[in-house]
Structures are given as C-alpha cells and as structure tokens.
Amino acid sequence: MKLNERSVAHYATCDSPPDKTGFLFKKGERNTAYHRRWFVLKGNMLFYFEERDSREPIGVIVLEGCTVELCESVEEFAFAIKFDCAKARVYKLAAENQAAMESWVKALSRASFDYMRLVVKELERQLEEIQDAAGAGGQQARPNSRENGVAWSKPPSATANGSAEAAPSCVTWDGCTDAGTVSGCAGDGGRAPPVPPRRLGASLESPVSPDTACFSKLHDWYGREVEELRVQWLQSQ
C-alpha cells in the first residue's frame, strides 16, 4: 500500500485531536537498540517522532491486520505489533511502566477498522434486540393513551364469566378545541378520533405563541402570521 508522504505528514501534525500520545521505547530494525520516541495515535495510524516537538514524523505504522501482544525483551514492559503477513516486520515497543504498557496495548488493539466493524455489528445486534422487545411490548393493549392533547380509553364491560372485556360500542375521549376542553364518545368500533402525529417528547405548546396547546389554535396563529407577512410584502411592491 502506497501512502502520500505529504498527506501523511500533514495528518500527523494537524490540529485534529489524537487518540493517544506518549513516549515509548522503539527497537530499531537495523540498530537493534531501543530508542525513546514520541508516539501519536490517530485512528488506525501510529506515528512516531524523534522528539516531542519534531515538525514531521520519522515513521508510521498502519494498524490493520495486526495483533498487539506482550513479548519477551531485554526491556521491561515490552510488547509487539505483529502482522499476519509472514515477511512483515514485527515492531517491538516498550513502555515506561506497567500502567502505560497496559494503556497502550488496549488503545492499539482497538485502533483498527476490523475492530470497529466488530463493535458496530455487536451494537446493531443489541439494537435489534431492543427494537424487538419494544415492538412486542407495544402490541399489548393499553387501557389509556394520550396523543396530541387527546386522551381516550375503552371502558371495560363484564362478560358472562365475570371477566372484563373492552366494550366495542363506545370509546370515551377528552380533547381540546378552540372553545376549550371537550369530551365525547365514539361508537365506530372502538377507535378514537384521529389526531395529527407529532414527535415523541415534543412540547404541545408553541415556543413563540403561548396558550396554543391545541393544534387548531396553533394553526390559526400561524395563519394570521402568514397573512400579515403577505400584506407587508404587497405594500412594499
């Protein structure tokens, strides 16, 4: 895989917040001694600099198709980044203490897109379970419900064996109109009067016009507003 050197260097030093930064000891490929380098983790790319205030990175490790595991080394708190390819280089790093080593191993293990895909799949599975459970619960009959200021319920009626059963002949409901709160009884097989839908948790009252909890009042208020704006526009022509 080829990377544009300028783009990579810009991404390493731009203002985008890093996922993790800190000093680590890195084992050289030719000079097998450990050298202290400043590391910056951004997404699935691990940059390392010669010093903390260096302007450009001296290398980058793309964390895809790899595993991060502890390894034996002359340095304490050492771990390695190993790739699936047989001829791929093994990067050996060492932290300054146990806590730093555990923190880096955890962050590097979670940096790849492969890991993110697994997380997304698990979250999708959990979401499907929640939606299935919510759908099953929503199918159960509720004795009372309220929608857009209209509350309606089916009064139970006694059957021959003494159990309660919803009466299909009448549904009681309470709502609001321009004249105020009203109540009534619908005899169309147990359905409440239709009401316009609204978002769950939304307020019934307009934030710009008080006392407009009813849909009809709110509709009239906006109608007057539009009419006034139309008159002003015609006068300006």
Side-chain angles (χ1 to χ4, degrees):
M1 179 177 62
K2 294 183 178 181
L3 299 175
N4 185 283
E5 187 175 347
R6 288 186 177 182
S7 299
V8 171
H10 173 73
Y11 178 60
T13 57
C14 68
D15 295 334
S16 62
D19 298 308
K20 189 171 179 59
T21 59
F23 281 105
L24 290 173
F25 296 94
K26 175 181 172 294
K27 187 175 183 179
E29 186 175 15
R30 297 180 181 178
N31 182 5
T32 57
Y34 279 85
H35 303 276
R36 192 169 185 258
R37 302 294 186 222
W38 176 254
F39 282 79
V40 175
L41 175 63
K42 285 188 173 183
N44 65 341
M45 306 185 78
L46 179 63
F47 301 95
Y48 50 96
F49 299 76
E50 189 170 359
E51 298 292 341
R52 182 171 184 172
D53 55 353
S54 298
R55 299 185 60 181
E56 292 186 356
I58 58 177
V60 58
I61 305 173
V62 181
L63 301 170
E64 291 297 334
C66 65
T67 58
V68 184
E69 55 191 51
L70 304 182
C71 66
E72 295 182 359
S73 175
V74 294
E75 289 287 335
E76 196 174 6
F77 313 118
F79 58 94
I81 302 175
K82 298 181 179 180
F83 293 86
D84 297 336
C85 182
K87 296 183 179 180
R89 177 183 174 185
V90 177
Y91 292 88
K92 291 188 176 182
L93 307 172
E96 295 178 341
N97 51 60
Q98 180 73 20
M101 180 193 70
E102 294 177 358
S103 177
W104 273 106
V105 169
K106 182 182 296 184
L108 297 176
S109 300
R110 299 176 176 179
S112 68
F113 285 116
D114 290 336
Y115 177 82
M116 293 302 298
R117 276 193 289 267
L118 293 176
V119 172
V120 170
K121 287 183 179 180
E122 175 62 20
L123 292 176
E124 288 178 345
R125 184 190 65 80
Q126 295 180 12
L127 179 60
E128 289 179 359
E129 292 181 353
I130 294 174
Q131 289 176 339
D132 292 342
Q139 292 176 357
Q140 297 177 357
R142 297 181 180 180
N144 296 283
S145 65
R146 174 175 291 274
E147 186 175 3
N148 286 11
V150 178
W152 58 279
S153 63
K154 290 186 178 182
S157 61
T159 60
N161 57 5
S163 61
E165 183 180 4
S169 59
C170 181
V171 175
T172 60
W173 54 273
D174 294 320
C176 62
T177 64
D178 291 339
T181 302
V182 297
S183 61
C185 177
D188 57 347
R191 291 190 299 174
V195 290
R198 67 180 179 85
R199 294 179 300 173
L200 294 177
S203 174
L204 288 172
E205 187 168 297
S206 169
V208 295
S209 179
D211 300 327
T212 55
C214 296
F215 178 80
S216 58
K217 289 184 179 180
L218 184 61
H219 183 273
D220 292 342
W221 187 89
Y222 279 114
R224 292 194 299 269
E225 182 75 9
V226 172
E227 183 66 25
E228 292 176 2
L229 291 175
R230 183 174 181 275
V231 172
Q232 295 176 6
W233 179 81
L234 290 174
Q235 292 176 351
S236 64
Q237 298 303 310

